[in-house]
Amino acid sequence: MSVAHYFTFLRVLLTPLFPCVYLYHTSWGIPGILVPYILITMLAVCAFTDLFDGFIARRKNQVTSFGKIFDPMADSIMSMTIFFTFTQGIVQIPLLLVLVFLYREFLMSALRTVCAIKGLVLAARNSGKIKTFFQSVSSFFILTLMILYQADWVSLIHLQSGSFYAMLATAFCSVFSAFEYLYINRALIRQAVVAGN
């Protein structure tokens, strides 16, 4: 276990707190006005660990096959948890839109697993990192809209429509990164499939 791996695990452990605070803040005694501030702080910590674990791994020459697989998986866990959380409460992102991200992640995870079984590692692509960046930006944007809504600077309709279009743009980026990932790694994927026959 390297230092970078611990930061990745920290991101995974923090992620379940996001829906808990969003959905159960009343029973936890957290004032509603504080919720988006708490959530945006948690998201910032997760985003920092995502940047820092990659930086540490490269700086200390600790890039491992485990890290190449688990780091994007941790990103997926975080993003999917946040997006499914936003289908509830005041944000109300359509579930069908979030399923685009879910199917994409299932497909990528299945391919990584099949290749890993055959001793092949599909490393993260720059398009995947851009996808993760856009997912973080859209999450920050939605939480910012929540803060503005609670300050009566934007209406509920604007909060929900702004959240929808931010997620729609992110969905297009996610689908593009999936196609780019499949195309670039087509030789390794073909090799894994052939080896499995």
Side-chain angles (χ1 to χ4, degrees):
M1 289 291 294
S2 67
V3 175
H5 293 160
Y6 284 112
F7 277 101
T8 304
F9 274 115
L10 176 63
R11 187 159 77 255
V12 174
L13 293 175
L14 284 176
T15 296
L17 291 176
F18 192 95
C20 291
V21 172
Y22 181 83
L23 296 173
Y24 305 114
H25 62 275
T26 302
S27 59
W28 285 14
I30 301 174
I33 195 170
L34 293 180
V35 170
Y37 293 99
I38 296 173
L39 295 178
I40 207 167
T41 300
M42 292 171 57
L43 183 59
V45 171
C46 288
F48 172 78
T49 61
D50 188 22
L51 292 173
F52 199 65
D53 61 5
F55 173 79
I56 288 292
R58 290 186 295 271
R59 183 73 178 269
K60 294 183 175 292
N61 196 26
Q62 295 177 341
V63 177
T64 64
S65 296
F66 175 82
K68 289 179 181 179
I69 295 173
F70 193 71
D71 184 64
M73 187 179 297
D75 292 337
S76 299
I77 292 171
M78 181 182 70
S79 298
M80 294 311 307
T81 299
I82 292 173
F83 293 164
F84 272 110
T85 300
F86 283 149
T87 64
Q88 307 298 309
I90 62 174
V91 178
Q92 292 291 312
I93 290 173
L95 179 60
L96 289 177
L97 183 57
V98 178
L99 290 179
V100 172
F101 299 98
L102 181 64
Y103 294 154
R104 189 262 184 205
E105 297 307 327
F106 275 159
L107 175 61
M108 296 298 104
S109 296
L111 288 174
R112 290 191 192 103
T113 302
V114 170
C115 290
I117 291 173
K118 303 303 177 183
L120 304 171
V121 177
L122 301 182
R125 297 286 305 165
N126 286 334
S127 60
K129 298 181 187 300
I130 294 173
K131 178 264 302 181
T132 302
F133 172 77
F134 271 99
Q135 288 178 341
S136 294
V137 168
S138 64
S139 298
F140 276 111
F141 178 72
I142 292 170
L143 291 172
T144 301
L145 286 178
M146 287 177 60
I147 293 173
L148 296 177
Y149 167 72
Q150 290 190 341
D152 290 327
W153 289 355
V154 299
S155 66
L156 180 61
I157 294 177
H158 287 137
L159 164 63
Q160 294 178 344
S161 62
S163 300
F164 170 76
Y165 286 116
M167 291 296 294
L168 185 63
T170 306
F172 277 114
C173 179
S174 182
V175 171
F176 170 79
S177 73
F179 279 111
E180 195 262 356
Y181 188 87
L182 292 173
Y183 179 77
I184 295 298
N185 290 294
R186 64 190 184 281
L188 287 175
I189 295 172
R190 188 183 303 113
Q191 181 180 344
V193 171
V194 171
N197 293 330

